[in-house]
């Protein structure tokens, strides 16, 4: 049985109405009694990294809406600890953060594999007990992490694929209409 812990994917229930999280998948990076945080991995932001961070010279690097908290901050997850200093290992092989100045330099030098790093504006945060309550209310479906999904370039498929990966009972949910009353 999967439980709330760093590295778990939170898959929004098909009928979750919160506009920040409808049809999203969140990579949970931290879960403690005092609170939890993570990043929405399947909601593309409307600006690229070079538009948000002028020091980045590489155009068109996508940025994802990490969540509604601190929308003036840039975060990242990656699989390149040999190049990026100071990251925190969420689960084996997947790291959160590191020295951002280092990342900018590596990007500008063309030394980072862009398929192994994902950038976010803002983050998703829950106060003490809030995420547990939302889970108990069936707002979230839990799944083991899937590296291919976390770094998938086709963000529009991540939510459905996450459900399909859980098997037949959940795969049916992937095709539920957003508003069943319009069906």
């Amino acid at each position: 049985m999967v439980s709330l812990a760093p590295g778990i994917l939170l898959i929004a229930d098909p009928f979750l109405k919160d506009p920040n999280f409808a049809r999203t998948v969140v990579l949970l990076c931290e879960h403690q009694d005092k609170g939890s945080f993570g990043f929405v991995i399947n909601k593309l932001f409307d600006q690229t990294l070079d538009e948000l961070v002028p020091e980045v010279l590489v155009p068109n690097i996508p940025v994802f809406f990490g969540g509604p908290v601190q929308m003036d901050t840039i975060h990242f997850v990656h699989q390149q600890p040999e190049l990026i200093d100071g990251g925190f290992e969420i689960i084996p092989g997947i790291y959160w953060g590191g020295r951002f100045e280092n990342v900018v330099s590596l990007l500008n030098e063309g030394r980072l594999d862009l398929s192994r790093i994902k950038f976010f504006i803002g983050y998703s945060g829950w106060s003490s007990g809030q995420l547990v309550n939302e889970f108990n209310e069936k707002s979230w479906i839990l799944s083991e992490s899937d590296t291919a999904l976390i770094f998938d370039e086709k963000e529009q498929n991540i939510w459905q694929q996450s459900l399909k990966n859980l098997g037949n009972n959940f795969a049916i949910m992937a095709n539920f209409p957003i508003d069943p009353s319009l069906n």
Side-chain angles (χ1 to χ4, degrees), residues 25-50:
V25 177
V26 175
L27 171 62
L28 192 59
C29 295
E30 187 66 60
H31 178 67
Q32 298 181 6
D33 290 339
K34 62 184 176 185
S36 307
F37 85 92
F39 303 109
V40 174
I41 62 172
N42 66 321
K43 203 170 178 183
L44 196 59
F45 192 64
D46 60 1
Q47 289 180 286
T48 58
L49 191 61
D50 61 300

Side-chain angles (χ1 to χ4, degrees), residues 92-163:
I94 298 183
Y95 296 78
W96 163 63
R99 287 188 42 239
F100 192 70
E101 304 80 23
N102 182 16
V103 170
V104 170
S105 294
L106 291 166
L107 283 171
N108 290 340
E109 295 166 12
R111 294 180 51 210
L112 286 182
D113 179 347
L114 296 178
S115 69
R116 298 177 63 213
I117 190 167
K118 197 167 201 174
F119 294 92
F120 306 94
I121 188 163
Y123 66 91
S124 301
W126 294 266
S127 60
S128 178
Q130 184 181 5
L131 183 55
V132 171
N133 289 341
E134 289 180 15
F135 173 70
N136 290 336
E137 292 168 353
K138 308 279 189 241
S139 295
W140 300 103
I141 299 162
L142 305 185
S143 172
E144 296 287 340
S145 277
D146 180 329
T147 303
L149 280 177
I150 292 169
F151 295 98
D152 194 331
E153 294 176 13
K154 297 182 179 104
E155 76 284 344
Q156 66 276 16
N157 299 331
I158 293 174
W159 181 80
Q160 286 183 319
Q161 191 59 52
S162 296
L163 287 170

